Amino acid sequence: MLQEHAHIAIGQRTMVGRHVELVPQGGFITIGSDCSLNNYVVLYGAGGITVHDGCRIATGVVIVAFNHEFGDLTRPIHRQPITARGIVVESDVWIGARAILLDGVTVGRGSVIGAGSVVTRDVPEYSVVAGNPARVVRHRDPSGDHGAGSTVSLRHP
């Protein structure tokens, strides 16, 4: 489902799966080239969402670029304001299935977000994060020298 088409930009060769929801909510959603948004991905872009080139967003990921205020006990929550700082996902990032990214975060280039993680703060470049809240569990070698056939594991040694 696409809403507010004028506020959505999708780069070349980017794959958008079934039942993906891109909802700018008055903000914007920009997806770079050579990305994939697998089935059931949801992006709420009130504060703006920018996903740079070459990113993989797995099934069921939710990215929410706003937050509800709830501090005024004299008003119902639905009548309180929202904040909207935005989210940036830099190039070559893999976001695992059912991960959640919350407003105000930047995910650094070359990072991996473990499946089911809840990202509440910035992720440094070439980091692997996992958990709720997500925390760095290891770093990737930005030189790419991992040896033949090596992979990055999310298991913490």
Side-chain angles (χ1 to χ4, degrees):
M1 173 174 63
L2 300 176
Q3 294 183 1
E4 304 172 51
H5 296 84
H7 299 281
I8 299 171
I10 300 174
Q12 296 181 358
R13 298 172 306 279
T14 289
M15 187 280 299
V16 178
R18 294 183 324 254
H19 308 291
V20 169
E21 292 189 36
L22 303 177
V23 186
Q25 296 177 308
F28 65 88
I29 297 172
T30 302
I31 310 294
S33 296
D34 301 308
C35 294
S36 61
L37 283 70
N38 286 341
N39 300 337
Y40 303 103
V41 167
V42 177
L43 279 65
Y44 293 124
I49 296 173
T50 301
V51 176
H52 289 270
D53 297 340
C55 292
R56 298 292 176 256
I57 302 177
T59 299
V61 167
V62 178
I63 300 176
V64 182
F66 74 96
N67 203 351
H68 291 276
E69 293 291 325
F70 55 86
D72 183 351
L73 298 179
T74 66
R75 294 171 48 195
I77 292 172
H78 75 276
R79 297 210 185 273
Q80 294 191 41
I82 65 166
T83 59
R85 297 180 298 161
I87 294 174
V88 175
V89 178
E90 294 179 354
S91 298
D92 190 31
V93 168
W94 172 26
I95 304 173
R98 299 188 186 271
I100 301 170
L101 279 66
L102 297 178
D103 191 35
V105 302
T106 295
V107 178
R109 170 186 294 274
S111 293
V112 176
I113 309 298
S117 297
V118 178
V119 180
T120 60
R121 56 187 142 181
D122 291 350
V123 175
E125 288 187 343
Y126 303 106
S127 295
V128 178
V129 301
N132 179 4
R135 62 178 170 57
V136 175
V137 295
R138 69 184 298 167
H139 296 279
R140 297 179 62 214
D141 180 356
S143 72
D145 186 17
H146 300 288
S150 68
T151 61
V152 175
S153 170
L154 294 184
R155 294 192 177 144
H156 188 60

PDB file of all heavy atoms in Angstrom, residues 81-118:
ATOM      1  N   PRO A  81       0.688  15.597  21.430  1.00  0.00           N
ATOM      2  CA  PRO A  81       1.461  15.762  20.194  1.00  0.00           C
ATOM      3  C   PRO A  81       2.384  14.566  19.926  1.00  0.00           C
ATOM      4  O   PRO A  81       2.581  13.712  20.789  1.00  0.00           O
ATOM      5  CB  PRO A  81       2.278  17.031  20.463  1.00  0.00           C
ATOM      6  CG  PRO A  81       2.359  17.135  21.947  1.00  0.00           C
ATOM      7  CD  PRO A  81       1.099  16.513  22.487  1.00  0.00           C
ATOM      8  N   ILE A  82       2.910  14.563  18.716  1.00  0.00           N
ATOM      9  CA  ILE A  82       3.938  13.588  18.380  1.00  0.00           C
ATOM     10  C   ILE A  82       5.260  14.319  18.170  1.00  0.00           C
ATOM     11  O   ILE A  82       5.277  15.533  17.938  1.00  0.00           O
ATOM     12  CB  ILE A  82       3.592  12.760  17.118  1.00  0.00           C
ATOM     13  CG1 ILE A  82       3.553  13.648  15.875  1.00  0.00           C
ATOM     14  CG2 ILE A  82       2.305  11.996  17.290  1.00  0.00           C
ATOM     15  CD1 ILE A  82       3.561  12.876  14.574  1.00  0.00           C
ATOM     16  N   THR A  83       6.349  13.592  18.282  1.00  0.00           N
ATOM     17  CA  THR A  83       7.658  14.091  17.880  1.00  0.00           C
ATOM     18  C   THR A  83       8.052  13.302  16.637  1.00  0.00           C
ATOM     19  O   THR A  83       7.635  12.153  16.461  1.00  0.00           O
ATOM     20  CB  THR A  83       8.713  13.897  18.988  1.00  0.00           C
ATOM     21  OG1 THR A  83       8.809  12.513  19.290  1.00  0.00           O
ATOM     22  CG2 THR A  83       8.342  14.671  20.244  1.00  0.00           C
ATOM     23  N   ALA A  84       8.853  13.902  15.781  1.00  0.00           N
ATOM     24  CA  ALA A  84       9.231  13.246  14.534  1.00  0.00           C
ATOM     25  C   ALA A  84      10.615  13.727  14.117  1.00  0.00           C
ATOM     26  O   ALA A  84      10.756  14.802  13.528  1.00  0.00           O
ATOM     27  CB  ALA A  84       8.192  13.541  13.454  1.00  0.00           C
ATOM     28  N   ARG A  85      11.628  12.949  14.462  1.00  0.00           N
ATOM     29  CA  ARG A  85      13.015  13.334  14.176  1.00  0.00           C
ATOM     30  C   ARG A  85      13.551  12.707  12.894  1.00  0.00           C
ATOM     31  O   ARG A  85      14.489  13.200  12.310  1.00  0.00           O
ATOM     32  CB  ARG A  85      13.909  12.969  15.355  1.00  0.00           C
ATOM     33  CG  ARG A  85      13.511  13.728  16.621  1.00  0.00           C
ATOM     34  CD  ARG A  85      14.371  13.387  17.797  1.00  0.00           C
ATOM     35  NE  ARG A  85      14.227  11.976  18.113  1.00  0.00           N
ATOM     36  CZ  ARG A  85      15.082  11.268  18.842  1.00  0.00           C
ATOM     37  NH1 ARG A  85      16.148  11.837  19.326  1.00  0.00           N
ATOM     38  NH2 ARG A  85      14.867   9.999  19.091  1.00  0.00           N
ATOM     39  N   GLY A  86      12.997  11.578  12.484  1.00  0.00           N
ATOM     40  CA  GLY A  86      13.439  10.927  11.258  1.00  0.00           C
ATOM     41  C   GLY A  86      14.410   9.783  11.498  1.00  0.00           C
ATOM     42  O   GLY A  86      14.965   9.630  12.589  1.00  0.00           O
ATOM     43  N   ILE A  87      14.573   8.976  10.460  1.00  0.00           N
ATOM     44  CA  ILE A  87      15.443   7.794  10.508  1.00  0.00           C
ATOM     45  C   ILE A  87      16.274   7.764   9.235  1.00  0.00           C
ATOM     46  O   ILE A  87      15.752   8.014   8.136  1.00  0.00           O
ATOM     47  CB  ILE A  87      14.613   6.500  10.629  1.00  0.00           C
ATOM     48  CG1 ILE A  87      13.888   6.479  11.981  1.00  0.00           C
ATOM     49  CG2 ILE A  87      15.489   5.255  10.444  1.00  0.00           C
ATOM     50  CD1 ILE A  87      12.927   5.320  12.161  1.00  0.00           C
ATOM     51  N   VAL A  88      17.566   7.454   9.372  1.00  0.00           N
ATOM     52  CA  VAL A  88      18.458   7.292   8.229  1.00  0.00           C
ATOM     53  C   VAL A  88      19.104   5.916   8.306  1.00  0.00           C
ATOM     54  O   VAL A  88      19.654   5.539   9.348  1.00  0.00           O
ATOM     55  CB  VAL A  88      19.562   8.377   8.207  1.00  0.00           C
ATOM     56  CG1 VAL A  88      20.552   8.128   7.068  1.00  0.00           C
ATOM     57  CG2 VAL A  88      18.940   9.760   8.095  1.00  0.00           C
ATOM     58  N   VAL A  89      19.020   5.174   7.203  1.00  0.00           N
ATOM     59  CA  VAL A  89      19.708   3.892   7.061  1.00  0.00           C
ATOM     60  C   VAL A  89      20.734   4.093   5.956  1.00  0.00           C
ATOM     61  O   VAL A  89      20.372   4.312   4.791  1.00  0.00           O
ATOM     62  CB  VAL A  89      18.720   2.756   6.709  1.00  0.00           C
ATOM     63  CG1 VAL A  89      19.473   1.439   6.524  1.00  0.00           C
ATOM     64  CG2 VAL A  89      17.640   2.620   7.785  1.00  0.00           C
ATOM     65  N   GLU A  90      22.010   4.070   6.328  1.00  0.00           N
ATOM     66  CA  GLU A  90      23.058   4.305   5.343  1.00  0.00           C
ATOM     67  C   GLU A  90      23.224   3.095   4.423  1.00  0.00           C
ATOM     68  O   GLU A  90      22.571   2.070   4.615  1.00  0.00           O
ATOM     69  CB  GLU A  90      24.351   4.682   6.059  1.00  0.00           C
ATOM     70  CG  GLU A  90      24.206   6.030   6.783  1.00  0.00           C
ATOM     71  CD  GLU A  90      25.443   6.466   7.530  1.00  0.00           C
ATOM     72  OE1 GLU A  90      26.429   5.692   7.610  1.00  0.00           O
ATOM     73  OE2 GLU A  90      25.431   7.595   8.051  1.00  0.00           O
ATOM     74  N   SER A  91      24.090   3.173   3.422  1.00  0.00           N
ATOM     75  CA  SER A  91      24.241   2.147   2.386  1.00  0.00           C
ATOM     76  C   SER A  91      24.703   0.804   2.938  1.00  0.00           C
ATOM     77  O   SER A  91      25.401   0.734   3.953  1.00  0.00           O
ATOM     78  CB  SER A  91      25.265   2.610   1.347  1.00  0.00           C
ATOM     79  OG  SER A  91      24.816   3.775   0.718  1.00  0.00           O
ATOM     80  N   ASP A  92      24.313  -0.262   2.212  1.00  0.00           N
ATOM     81  CA  ASP A  92      24.788  -1.625   2.455  1.00  0.00           C
ATOM     82  C   ASP A  92      24.445  -2.128   3.858  1.00  0.00           C
ATOM     83  O   ASP A  92      25.284  -2.689   4.554  1.00  0.00           O
ATOM     84  CB  ASP A  92      26.302  -1.711   2.197  1.00  0.00           C
ATOM     85  CG  ASP A  92      26.809  -3.146   2.189  1.00  0.00           C
ATOM     86  OD1 ASP A  92      26.045  -4.052   1.792  1.00  0.00           O
ATOM     87  OD2 ASP A  92      27.968  -3.363   2.594  1.00  0.00           O
ATOM     88  N   VAL A  93      23.209  -1.928   4.256  1.00  0.00           N
ATOM     89  CA  VAL A  93      22.738  -2.380   5.569  1.00  0.00           C
ATOM     90  C   VAL A  93      21.764  -3.534   5.366  1.00  0.00           C
ATOM     91  O   VAL A  93      20.975  -3.540   4.426  1.00  0.00           O
ATOM     92  CB  VAL A  93      22.048  -1.225   6.336  1.00  0.00           C
ATOM     93  CG1 VAL A  93      21.298  -1.719   7.565  1.00  0.00           C
ATOM     94  CG2 VAL A  93      23.078  -0.169   6.731  1.00  0.00           C
ATOM     95  N   TRP A  94      21.833  -4.513   6.254  1.00  0.00           N
ATOM     96  CA  TRP A  94      20.890  -5.628   6.258  1.00  0.00           C
ATOM     97  C   TRP A  94      20.096  -5.541   7.556  1.00  0.00           C
ATOM     98  O   TRP A  94      20.674  -5.575   8.651  1.00  0.00           O
ATOM     99  CB  TRP A  94      21.626  -6.954   6.167  1.00  0.00           C
ATOM    100  CG  TRP A  94      20.789  -8.180   6.352  1.00  0.00           C
ATOM    101  CD1 TRP A  94      19.454  -8.328   6.117  1.00  0.00           C
ATOM    102  CD2 TRP A  94      21.238  -9.440   6.827  1.00  0.00           C
ATOM    103  NE1 TRP A  94      19.052  -9.608   6.409  1.00  0.00           N
ATOM    104  CE2 TRP A  94      20.141 -10.316   6.854  1.00  0.00           C
ATOM    105  CE3 TRP A  94      22.482  -9.919   7.243  1.00  0.00           C
ATOM    106  CZ2 TRP A  94      20.232 -11.631   7.271  1.00  0.00           C
ATOM    107  CZ3 TRP A  94      22.575 -11.228   7.659  1.00  0.00           C
ATOM    108  CH2 TRP A  94      21.456 -12.075   7.658  1.00  0.00           C
ATOM    109  N   ILE A  95      18.773  -5.429   7.438  1.00  0.00           N
ATOM    110  CA  ILE A  95      17.888  -5.381   8.598  1.00  0.00           C
ATOM    111  C   ILE A  95      17.134  -6.705   8.636  1.00  0.00           C
ATOM    112  O   ILE A  95      16.361  -7.009   7.733  1.00  0.00           O
ATOM    113  CB  ILE A  95      16.921  -4.194   8.529  1.00  0.00           C
ATOM    114  CG1 ILE A  95      17.709  -2.881   8.388  1.00  0.00           C
ATOM    115  CG2 ILE A  95      16.026  -4.163   9.760  1.00  0.00           C
ATOM    116  CD1 ILE A  95      16.844  -1.653   8.141  1.00  0.00           C
ATOM    117  N   GLY A  96      17.364  -7.509   9.684  1.00  0.00           N
ATOM    118  CA  GLY A  96      16.785  -8.847   9.802  1.00  0.00           C
ATOM    119  C   GLY A  96      15.287  -8.836  10.056  1.00  0.00           C
ATOM    120  O   GLY A  96      14.704  -7.828  10.480  1.00  0.00           O
ATOM    121  N   ALA A  97      14.677  -9.978   9.808  1.00  0.00           N
ATOM    122  CA  ALA A  97      13.232 -10.154   9.903  1.00  0.00           C
ATOM    123  C   ALA A  97      12.675  -9.662  11.237  1.00  0.00           C
ATOM    124  O   ALA A  97      13.250  -9.900  12.296  1.00  0.00           O
ATOM    125  CB  ALA A  97      12.859 -11.619   9.704  1.00  0.00           C
ATOM    126  N   ARG A  98      11.561  -8.958  11.153  1.00  0.00           N
ATOM    127  CA  ARG A  98      10.787  -8.473  12.291  1.00  0.00           C
ATOM    128  C   ARG A  98      11.538  -7.527  13.219  1.00  0.00           C
ATOM    129  O   ARG A  98      11.138  -7.311  14.365  1.00  0.00           O
ATOM    130  CB  ARG A  98      10.186  -9.623  13.078  1.00  0.00           C
ATOM    131  CG  ARG A  98       9.226 -10.454  12.248  1.00  0.00           C
ATOM    132  CD  ARG A  98       8.508 -11.470  13.092  1.00  0.00           C
ATOM    133  NE  ARG A  98       7.704 -12.357  12.288  1.00  0.00           N
ATOM    134  CZ  ARG A  98       6.434 -12.136  11.935  1.00  0.00           C
ATOM    135  NH1 ARG A  98       5.833 -11.046  12.321  1.00  0.00           N
ATOM    136  NH2 ARG A  98       5.787 -13.009  11.204  1.00  0.00           N
ATOM    137  N   ALA A  99      12.621  -6.933  12.733  1.00  0.00           N
ATOM    138  CA  ALA A  99      13.302  -5.894  13.503  1.00  0.00           C
ATOM    139  C   ALA A  99      12.439  -4.638  13.490  1.00  0.00           C
ATOM    140  O   ALA A  99      11.598  -4.441  12.601  1.00  0.00           O
ATOM    141  CB  ALA A  99      14.679  -5.596  12.924  1.00  0.00           C
ATOM    142  N   ILE A 100      12.645  -3.785  14.495  1.00  0.00           N
ATOM    143  CA  ILE A 100      11.926  -2.520  14.604  1.00  0.00           C
ATOM    144  C   ILE A 100      12.953  -1.408  14.782  1.00  0.00           C
ATOM    145  O   ILE A 100      13.831  -1.504  15.648  1.00  0.00           O
ATOM    146  CB  ILE A 100      10.953  -2.537  15.807  1.00  0.00           C
ATOM    147  CG1 ILE A 100       9.939  -3.666  15.656  1.00  0.00           C
ATOM    148  CG2 ILE A 100      10.276  -1.182  15.966  1.00  0.00           C
ATOM    149  CD1 ILE A 100       9.100  -3.905  16.902  1.00  0.00           C
ATOM    150  N   LEU A 101      12.849  -0.360  13.966  1.00  0.00           N
ATOM    151  CA  LEU A 101      13.690   0.823  14.105  1.00  0.00           C
ATOM    152  C   LEU A 101      12.796   1.964  14.554  1.00  0.00           C
ATOM    153  O   LEU A 101      11.776   2.253  13.914  1.00  0.00           O
ATOM    154  CB  LEU A 101      14.366   1.183  12.786  1.00  0.00           C
ATOM    155  CG  LEU A 101      15.632   0.417  12.405  1.00  0.00           C
ATOM    156  CD1 LEU A 101      15.344  -1.042  12.153  1.00  0.00           C
ATOM    157  CD2 LEU A 101      16.294   1.046  11.215  1.00  0.00           C
ATOM    158  N   LEU A 102      13.188   2.627  15.644  1.00  0.00           N
ATOM    159  CA  LEU A 102      12.372   3.696  16.215  1.00  0.00           C
ATOM    160  C   LEU A 102      12.940   5.069  15.891  1.00  0.00           C
ATOM    161  O   LEU A 102      14.113   5.210  15.530  1.00  0.00           O
ATOM    162  CB  LEU A 102      12.229   3.489  17.718  1.00  0.00           C
ATOM    163  CG  LEU A 102      11.506   2.190  18.104  1.00  0.00           C
ATOM    164  CD1 LEU A 102      11.448   2.042  19.622  1.00  0.00           C
ATOM    165  CD2 LEU A 102      10.119   2.126  17.501  1.00  0.00           C
ATOM    166  N   ASP A 103      12.122   6.082  16.019  1.00  0.00           N
ATOM    167  CA  ASP A 103      12.427   7.440  15.595  1.00  0.00           C
ATOM    168  C   ASP A 103      13.757   7.952  16.139  1.00  0.00           C
ATOM    169  O   ASP A 103      14.124   7.713  17.287  1.00  0.00           O
ATOM    170  CB  ASP A 103      11.302   8.371  16.057  1.00  0.00           C
ATOM    171  CG  ASP A 103      11.407   9.748  15.442  1.00  0.00           C
ATOM    172  OD1 ASP A 103      11.825   9.857  14.273  1.00  0.00           O
ATOM    173  OD2 ASP A 103      11.059  10.723  16.130  1.00  0.00           O
ATOM    174  N   GLY A 104      14.459   8.695  15.257  1.00  0.00           N
ATOM    175  CA  GLY A 104      15.669   9.394  15.662  1.00  0.00           C
ATOM    176  C   GLY A 104      16.957   8.636  15.451  1.00  0.00           C
ATOM    177  O   GLY A 104      18.024   9.172  15.749  1.00  0.00           O
ATOM    178  N   VAL A 105      16.911   7.409  14.921  1.00  0.00           N
ATOM    179  CA  VAL A 105      18.139   6.629  14.790  1.00  0.00           C
ATOM    180  C   VAL A 105      18.760   6.762  13.400  1.00  0.00           C
ATOM    181  O   VAL A 105      18.074   6.996  12.413  1.00  0.00           O
ATOM    182  CB  VAL A 105      17.945   5.127  15.127  1.00  0.00           C
ATOM    183  CG1 VAL A 105      17.426   4.947  16.538  1.00  0.00           C
ATOM    184  CG2 VAL A 105      17.075   4.438  14.116  1.00  0.00           C
ATOM    185  N   THR A 106      20.078   6.602  13.389  1.00  0.00           N
ATOM    186  CA  THR A 106      20.846   6.451  12.154  1.00  0.00           C
ATOM    187  C   THR A 106      21.549   5.112  12.231  1.00  0.00           C
ATOM    188  O   THR A 106      22.200   4.812  13.234  1.00  0.00           O
ATOM    189  CB  THR A 106      21.883   7.580  11.991  1.00  0.00           C
ATOM    190  OG1 THR A 106      21.183   8.821  11.846  1.00  0.00           O
ATOM    191  CG2 THR A 106      22.769   7.354  10.771  1.00  0.00           C
ATOM    192  N   VAL A 107      21.394   4.307  11.182  1.00  0.00           N
ATOM    193  CA  VAL A 107      22.072   3.016  11.100  1.00  0.00           C
ATOM    194  C   VAL A 107      23.255   3.206  10.150  1.00  0.00           C
ATOM    195  O   VAL A 107      23.069   3.521   8.971  1.00  0.00           O
ATOM    196  CB  VAL A 107      21.130   1.913  10.597  1.00  0.00           C
ATOM    197  CG1 VAL A 107      21.873   0.588  10.478  1.00  0.00           C
ATOM    198  CG2 VAL A 107      19.922   1.775  11.523  1.00  0.00           C
ATOM    199  N   GLY A 108      24.457   3.015  10.682  1.00  0.00           N
ATOM    200  CA  GLY A 108      25.669   3.266   9.918  1.00  0.00           C
ATOM    201  C   GLY A 108      25.896   2.284   8.777  1.00  0.00           C
ATOM    202  O   GLY A 108      25.438   1.143   8.810  1.00  0.00           O
ATOM    203  N   ARG A 109      26.628   2.744   7.782  1.00  0.00           N
ATOM    204  CA  ARG A 109      26.982   1.971   6.595  1.00  0.00           C
ATOM    205  C   ARG A 109      27.500   0.579   6.960  1.00  0.00           C
ATOM    206  O   ARG A 109      28.250   0.416   7.913  1.00  0.00           O
ATOM    207  CB  ARG A 109      28.062   2.720   5.827  1.00  0.00           C
ATOM    208  CG  ARG A 109      28.712   1.953   4.700  1.00  0.00           C
ATOM    209  CD  ARG A 109      29.879   2.721   4.098  1.00  0.00           C
ATOM    210  NE  ARG A 109      29.445   3.926   3.433  1.00  0.00           N
ATOM    211  CZ  ARG A 109      29.031   3.976   2.165  1.00  0.00           C
ATOM    212  NH1 ARG A 109      29.020   2.881   1.441  1.00  0.00           N
ATOM    213  NH2 ARG A 109      28.636   5.108   1.641  1.00  0.00           N
ATOM    214  N   GLY A 110      27.051  -0.426   6.194  1.00  0.00           N
ATOM    215  CA  GLY A 110      27.582  -1.771   6.327  1.00  0.00           C
ATOM    216  C   GLY A 110      27.163  -2.524   7.573  1.00  0.00           C
ATOM    217  O   GLY A 110      27.740  -3.557   7.893  1.00  0.00           O
ATOM    218  N   SER A 111      26.160  -2.035   8.273  1.00  0.00           N
ATOM    219  CA  SER A 111      25.749  -2.678   9.523  1.00  0.00           C
ATOM    220  C   SER A 111      24.722  -3.778   9.284  1.00  0.00           C
ATOM    221  O   SER A 111      24.087  -3.846   8.232  1.00  0.00           O
ATOM    222  CB  SER A 111      25.163  -1.638  10.484  1.00  0.00           C
ATOM    223  OG  SER A 111      26.171  -0.745  10.891  1.00  0.00           O
ATOM    224  N   VAL A 112      24.575  -4.630  10.294  1.00  0.00           N
ATOM    225  CA  VAL A 112      23.599  -5.716  10.280  1.00  0.00           C
ATOM    226  C   VAL A 112      22.754  -5.584  11.540  1.00  0.00           C
ATOM    227  O   VAL A 112      23.291  -5.476  12.647  1.00  0.00           O
ATOM    228  CB  VAL A 112      24.293  -7.099  10.256  1.00  0.00           C
ATOM    229  CG1 VAL A 112      23.274  -8.220  10.338  1.00  0.00           C
ATOM    230  CG2 VAL A 112      25.168  -7.248   9.021  1.00  0.00           C
ATOM    231  N   ILE A 113      21.423  -5.599  11.359  1.00  0.00           N
ATOM    232  CA  ILE A 113      20.486  -5.557  12.476  1.00  0.00           C
ATOM    233  C   ILE A 113      19.907  -6.957  12.611  1.00  0.00           C
ATOM    234  O   ILE A 113      19.274  -7.464  11.685  1.00  0.00           O
ATOM    235  CB  ILE A 113      19.333  -4.550  12.219  1.00  0.00           C
ATOM    236  CG1 ILE A 113      19.853  -3.173  11.787  1.00  0.00           C
ATOM    237  CG2 ILE A 113      18.410  -4.483  13.424  1.00  0.00           C
ATOM    238  CD1 ILE A 113      20.710  -2.474  12.788  1.00  0.00           C
ATOM    239  N   GLY A 114      20.119  -7.609  13.737  1.00  0.00           N
ATOM    240  CA  GLY A 114      19.641  -8.971  13.956  1.00  0.00           C
ATOM    241  C   GLY A 114      18.128  -9.067  13.946  1.00  0.00           C
ATOM    242  O   GLY A 114      17.424  -8.129  14.325  1.00  0.00           O
ATOM    243  N   ALA A 115      17.630 -10.207  13.529  1.00  0.00           N
ATOM    244  CA  ALA A 115      16.189 -10.454  13.484  1.00  0.00           C
ATOM    245  C   ALA A 115      15.575 -10.209  14.861  1.00  0.00           C
ATOM    246  O   ALA A 115      16.139 -10.583  15.887  1.00  0.00           O
ATOM    247  CB  ALA A 115      15.918 -11.885  13.039  1.00  0.00           C
ATOM    248  N   GLY A 116      14.426  -9.542  14.877  1.00  0.00           N
ATOM    249  CA  GLY A 116      13.702  -9.299  16.114  1.00  0.00           C
ATOM    250  C   GLY A 116      14.267  -8.204  16.993  1.00  0.00           C
ATOM    251  O   GLY A 116      13.745  -7.946  18.070  1.00  0.00           O
ATOM    252  N   SER A 117      15.302  -7.519  16.541  1.00  0.00           N
ATOM    253  CA  SER A 117      15.913  -6.466  17.350  1.00  0.00           C
ATOM    254  C   SER A 117      15.047  -5.216  17.377  1.00  0.00           C
ATOM    255  O   SER A 117      14.298  -4.950  16.442  1.00  0.00           O
ATOM    256  CB  SER A 117      17.288  -6.099  16.784  1.00  0.00           C
ATOM    257  OG  SER A 117      18.163  -7.201  16.859  1.00  0.00           O
ATOM    258  N   VAL A 118      15.180  -4.435  18.456  1.00  0.00           N
ATOM    259  CA  VAL A 118      14.510  -3.145  18.572  1.00  0.00           C
ATOM    260  C   VAL A 118      15.601  -2.081  18.675  1.00  0.00           C
ATOM    261  O   VAL A 118      16.321  -2.015  19.674  1.00  0.00           O
ATOM    262  CB  VAL A 118      13.563  -3.089  19.790  1.00  0.00           C
ATOM    263  CG1 VAL A 118      12.917  -1.710  19.901  1.00  0.00           C
ATOM    264  CG2 VAL A 118      12.508  -4.186  19.703  1.00  0.00           C
TER     265      VAL A 118
END
